[in-house]
Amino acid sequence: MVSGSGARSAGDVRALAASAWSFRWKVEREAEVRFETLAGRLEALGEPPHLVNLTRRAAADERRHATHCARLAAELGQPVPERAPPPPAKVAPAGLAEEDAVTYELVAACCVTESVSVAVLTTLLPAARDPSLHAVLRELAEDEVAHARLGWAHLAVAAAQGRTAFLGPLLPAMLRGSVDDDLLLPVEPDREDEALLALGVLPHATKRDLFVRALEQVVLPGLEASGVDTADGRDWLATRRAFPKVAPGRTTDQKT
Ligand SMILES: [Fe+2]
Ligand SMILES: [Fe+2]
């Protein structure tokens, strides 16, 4: 059982953390469906069987992650809905050839999103003193590393076929689509509370900084090494570097 600490707004902090874990449950269930769908599409394209198997395994991992997230959300006072969330929409733009659309989906889901998740989870690990929470974060981190590698492995296959350059001009849309709606916006001060860390949730500004650092240090260099011109992606990121710190009164849902 996870428990918060600190006298000031301990209930509010728990409520925010519950909301974050509930949101993670939804994201994990969506990821499960996305990977299951991608496994079938990879198989149909004749992708190497080990990548298809890794994608199917990723779907099973995400299902297991969702179970952990649901338990933590319930322990913090916000049980998740009984019904699964609706299946996620395809993120690749219309008009791409099927193999390029699959590459886009895998790069967005794995190279970008999973890489950022790894950065988030490894930052949370040292702050999680509750053994059960620590074990969940470690399990998620280890699996998300494998999911990120899956994306890079597929990208290497696409690069060997000369099919990665198309991603360059699409990076701004991909990066924009990979962030929560409010990640690059100021949020209410409660969401910057350091007490969230003990409940497995990053203060908002820390999460935003990690996103930027993961892009700059992992994602964009990895894409460049795979033949993607990242100039448009870097321009997109540069225009969003001057983040305001805090704005009062926002009431959006707490995100991961
Ligand atoms: Fe996951
Ligand atoms: Fe994952």
Side-chain angles (χ1 to χ4, degrees):
M1 169 78 74
V2 288
S3 60
S5 62
R8 191 190 75 84
S9 68
D12 292 345
V13 171
R14 285 179 65 84
L16 284 171
S19 178
W21 281 104
S22 181
F23 182 77
R24 282 180 184 159
W25 166 82
K26 176 172 171 284
V27 170
E28 300 282 9
R29 291 300 302 266
E30 289 173 346
E32 174 196 354
V33 174
R34 188 180 303 284
F35 279 128
E36 195 59 53
T37 304
L38 280 168
R41 294 171 73 185
L42 287 168
E43 198 165 32
L45 286 168
E47 193 89 2
H50 75 279
L51 287 182
V52 176
N53 292 337
L54 282 175
T55 310
R56 289 228 159 82
R57 193 184 306 168
D61 292 343
E62 306 296 16
R63 180 65 170 253
R64 179 165 34 82
H65 297 176
T67 303
H68 291 313
C69 296
R71 177 178 62 79
L72 288 163
E75 286 182 4
L76 289 162
Q78 185 176 316
V80 301
E82 288 186 14
R83 295 177 61 143
K90 289 181 180 178
V91 296
L96 292 178
E98 171 64 2
E99 58 238 270
D100 294 337
V102 166
T103 295
Y104 186 104
E105 297 269 347
L106 275 167
V107 169
C110 298
C111 303
V112 178
T113 300
E114 299 279 6
S115 296
V116 173
S117 291
V118 170
V120 169
L121 290 162
T122 53
T123 301
L124 286 168
L125 262 174
R129 288 180 294 279
D130 179 272
S132 168
L133 175 62
H134 194 274
V136 167
L137 292 171
R138 188 174 55 208
E139 180 180 325
L140 266 57
E142 288 172 356
D143 290 339
E144 312 301 24
V145 166
H147 302 169
R149 284 186 183 144
L150 161 64
W152 295 116
H154 171 79
L155 193 62
V157 172
Q161 297 169 344
R163 298 194 76 109
T164 56
F166 78 96
L167 288 167
L170 302 178
L171 282 183
M174 181 187 289
L175 298 177
R176 196 163 48 241
S178 73
V179 300
D180 298 336
D181 294 341
D182 59 2
L183 181 66
L184 302 175
L185 299 172
V187 298
E188 66 271 27
D190 280 359
R191 288 181 54 191
E192 302 292 1
D193 196 324
E194 294 282 316
L196 287 165
L197 283 164
L199 300 176
V201 177
L202 287 178
H204 186 78
T206 306
K207 185 183 175 192
R208 189 178 55 207
D209 292 345
L210 275 180
F211 172 78
V212 172
R213 212 178 321 151
L215 288 190
E216 289 180 338
Q217 297 181 1
V218 177
V219 177
L220 293 171
L223 292 173
E224 282 165 5
S226 301
V228 180
D229 183 342
T230 62
D232 289 347
R234 290 184 184 280
D235 285 349
W236 178 86
L237 190 58
T239 61
R240 284 153 183 83
R241 291 302 301 269
F243 305 114
K245 286 298 180 191
V246 172
R250 286 181 56 85
T251 56
T252 54
D253 289 343
Q254 170 75 28
K255 305 269 177 92
T256 309

